[in-house]
Amino acid sequence: MVAIKTNDFKLITAKPFAPNLGADIYGVDLSQPVPDDQFAEIKAAFHQYQVLFFREQKEIPPARHIAFGKRFGPLHAHPAAPTMDGFPEIFEIHATKDSKIANGEFWHSDVSCDEVPPLGTMLQIHIAPPCGGDTMFSDMYAAYDDLSQPLKDMLDGLTALHSSEHIYKGRYSDRGRNDAEIDCPEAVHPIVRTHPDTGRKALFVNRTFTTRIVGLSDSESAAILEMLFTHAEHINYQIRFRWSLNDMAFWDNRCCMHRAIWDYWPEERKGRRVTIKGDRPV
Ligand code: SIN
């Protein structure tokens, strides 16, 4: 049983989305510069709730979106995704009736295949389908906490390979990125990582990028990974966010996974995403 979190923020309103993770944030206008004292509360709420949903927003100008992201640290460049004209820091999420794929349709932590994967991702949706197009999030602290002690002891010493060739090759070719231009990074990360700001341990494997556990046989690796993926995707750790136009979600890739639902074809959905560089997982 998870205790519902309380907060005493003064310059923002944070309403818990669910007992496990997430908060709706009111009282912030991201289309304007955010004052330092309000920013400090946003950062504290981000560490407390893992994913923030900034409600009642106007469309954020691209330069302001980039500037807000940079207050959390240097930005991360996606190895393969198409960027917005004139704003290489912005990854445009766009699905239309002609799309062959949408973005992020399977559980993942963004670009976990990078040596230094992103700290967090800020996505604002500017064109929303009449219904559908929700995004799901899963709490990887809780997924770790609920494991039995013998399994924690085993996983604490293990690392896993995160690969991307099977994901990125050809993925964005219909949006002007061909395989000659893109990188398909891979990296080995601990299966359990410690969050640099909260000190909490989180499970750090995902069905999209994590391809094998280092040092185990193929069958051991496949069986344990499947068990961990299924565990981390348990409904008790999840929330499902329904977007309103111009909502901005900001999620912490170090302690939650997410998955976008493409149930709205042939309708259109479009948004802009800025991603912040993180630390090497430890
Ligand atoms: C993603 O960034 O993985 C996609 C999220 C979304 O489109 O809701």
Side-chain angles (χ1 to χ4, degrees):
M1 188 74 170
V2 186
I4 293 186
K5 295 162 184 164
T6 55
N7 65 65
D8 57 0
F9 299 118
K10 298 198 170 43
L11 303 170
I12 62 172
T13 301
K15 293 193 176 160
F17 192 94
N20 53 358
L21 81 163
D24 284 324
I25 304 294
Y26 294 91
V28 179
D29 180 358
L30 295 176
S31 69
Q32 301 296 321
V34 174
D36 287 345
D37 48 1
Q38 195 178 45
F39 178 76
E41 290 199 356
I42 291 171
K43 199 166 181 178
F46 180 63
H47 292 149
Q48 181 169 344
Y49 293 106
Q50 303 162 248
V51 50
L52 304 181
F53 305 112
F54 293 90
R55 302 291 211 167
E56 299 175 343
Q57 295 299 312
K58 305 179 187 83
E59 182 164 338
I60 306 169
R64 179 129 315 284
H65 192 155
I66 291 167
F68 184 58
K70 281 185 175 166
R71 291 186 74 175
F72 288 85
L75 299 187
H76 174 271
H78 196 287
T83 58
M84 185 178 178
D85 278 349
F87 296 99
E89 301 91 341
I90 292 188
F91 168 7
E92 279 191 310
I93 303 273
H94 196 192
T96 69
K97 65 175 177 27
D98 300 320
S99 299
K100 295 191 178 51
I101 52 148
N103 202 69
E105 289 169 73
F106 300 95
W107 283 108
H108 64 287
S109 169
D110 285 322
V111 202
S112 68
C113 52
D114 255 2
E115 282 290 337
V116 183
L119 169 161
T121 304
M122 297 174 167
L123 173 65
Q124 187 176 45
I125 291 293
H126 306 291
I127 299 178
C131 59
D134 298 354
T135 306
M136 300 174 74
F137 297 87
S138 180
D139 178 356
M140 300 295 271
Y141 289 142
Y144 174 75
D145 289 345
D146 281 354
L147 294 171
S148 66
Q149 194 56 50
L151 196 56
K152 284 180 180 163
D153 292 343
M154 183 184 86
L155 296 177
D156 270 343
L158 289 176
T159 57
L161 179 66
H162 295 237
S163 317
S164 61
E165 197 169 318
H166 60 295
I167 301 296
Y168 293 151
K169 259 210 152 127
R171 183 170 185 83
Y172 299 107
S173 52
D174 60 341
R175 299 193 49 202
R177 295 297 307 264
N178 62 51
D179 290 345
E181 291 175 332
I182 64 165
D183 274 341
C184 293
E186 58 175 32
V188 171
H189 298 306
I191 289 182
V192 178
R193 70 182 293 184
T194 302
H195 194 290
D197 296 302
T198 66
R200 293 184 66 190
K201 285 185 173 183
L203 203 52
F204 193 62
V205 290
N206 64 80
R207 202 177 276 287
T208 298
F209 295 113
T210 316
T211 47
R212 69 165 296 123
I213 298 179
V214 176
L216 302 193
S217 69
D218 287 355
S219 62
E220 288 168 342
S221 166
I224 293 173
L225 278 182
E226 184 54 41
M227 184 271 289
L228 292 176
F229 296 153
T230 305
H231 171 73
E233 294 162 6
H234 192 280
I235 197 163
N236 283 6
Y237 309 135
Q238 292 176 18
I239 57 172
R240 177 168 174 151
F241 177 62
R242 173 164 291 185
W243 297 83
S244 296
L245 202 64
N246 292 332
D247 282 343
M248 165 115 120
F250 177 29
W251 59 85
D252 191 330
N253 286 299
R254 302 164 295 183
C255 57
C256 60
M257 296 193 294
H258 60 285
R259 169 180 188 165
I261 301 174
W262 193 23
D263 55 357
Y264 50 87
W265 186 91
E267 299 293 338
E268 184 178 11
R269 181 174 180 273
K270 189 170 187 182
R272 296 186 202 126
R273 191 179 112 157
V274 162
T275 305
I276 301 130
K277 212 169 173 173
D279 303 283
R280 191 177 294 274
V282 287

